[in-house]
Amino acid sequence: MTADALSQAFAALADPTRRDMVARLSEGDATVGELAEPYRMSLQAVYKHLRVLEGAGLVTRPAGPQPRRVRLEAGAFDLMDTWIERHRARVERRYRRLDAVLEQMKEDEHDHGDDHRGRPGAAGHQDDP
């Protein structure tokens, strides 16, 4: 899956109906008719959603006679998962560094007391009363 495929996968999953279809397919393969059951939409509209999911590589329908079962392609989620985890790890590292800085600031404040001694610019100016 390329970066363009990654964009297609995220775009496909931007639609709540398609996300619901993916969630239902994670429970098991289904025919288009079975997938269409809970939705108030035409079968043609369901096929349109499936074509988007197929185009993104998230589902497949094997060639052959109808009814064909729609299958979720778990491998398509690996690249998405890798992308998400890479960025989650970066954000978590940033937050850990921020936590360390805040903890150090708290320790410095405790070491110097609450009278603001030692803080640049906090000392009384000679012109202050």
Side-chain angles (χ1 to χ4, degrees):
M1 186 181 271
T2 64
D4 187 54
L6 183 63
S7 296
Q8 284 183 317
F10 280 119
L13 294 174
D15 183 275
T17 299
R18 291 192 287 265
R19 283 195 309 272
D20 186 62
M21 288 177 170
V22 166
R24 292 176 53 223
L25 287 168
S26 71
E27 298 292 324
D29 298 353
T31 64
V32 174
E34 291 168 340
L35 277 176
E37 284 175 9
Y39 307 119
R40 291 180 161 183
M41 64 177 67
S42 68
L43 203 54
Q44 185 178 14
V46 172
Y47 273 108
K48 186 176 178 181
H49 283 296
L50 284 175
R51 280 194 296 274
V52 173
L53 292 171
E54 286 176 314
L58 297 173
V59 300
T60 57
R61 285 184 294 163
Q66 299 285 349
R68 298 183 296 170
R69 300 198 64 84
V70 180
R71 174 175 296 147
L72 190 62
E73 292 298 323
F77 293 93
D78 291 344
L79 184 60
M80 295 169 52
D81 188 49
T82 300
W83 187 89
I84 290 169
E85 287 304 317
R86 179 177 357 128
H87 292 286
R88 179 196 323 267
R90 286 179 181 169
V91 167
E92 287 175 355
R93 283 192 302 268
R94 280 186 35 225
Y95 287 149
R96 280 194 298 271
R97 286 194 308 260
L98 179 60
D99 286 344
V101 168
L102 292 173
E103 186 63 32
Q104 184 62 49
M105 289 173 66
K106 190 184 294 182
E107 288 176 19
D108 289 349
E109 187 173 298
H110 181 265
D111 290 345
H112 297 289
D114 291 334
D115 62 357
H116 305 290
R117 287 180 290 173
R119 287 186 177 176
H125 191 271
Q126 63 185 9
D127 294 335
D128 287 346

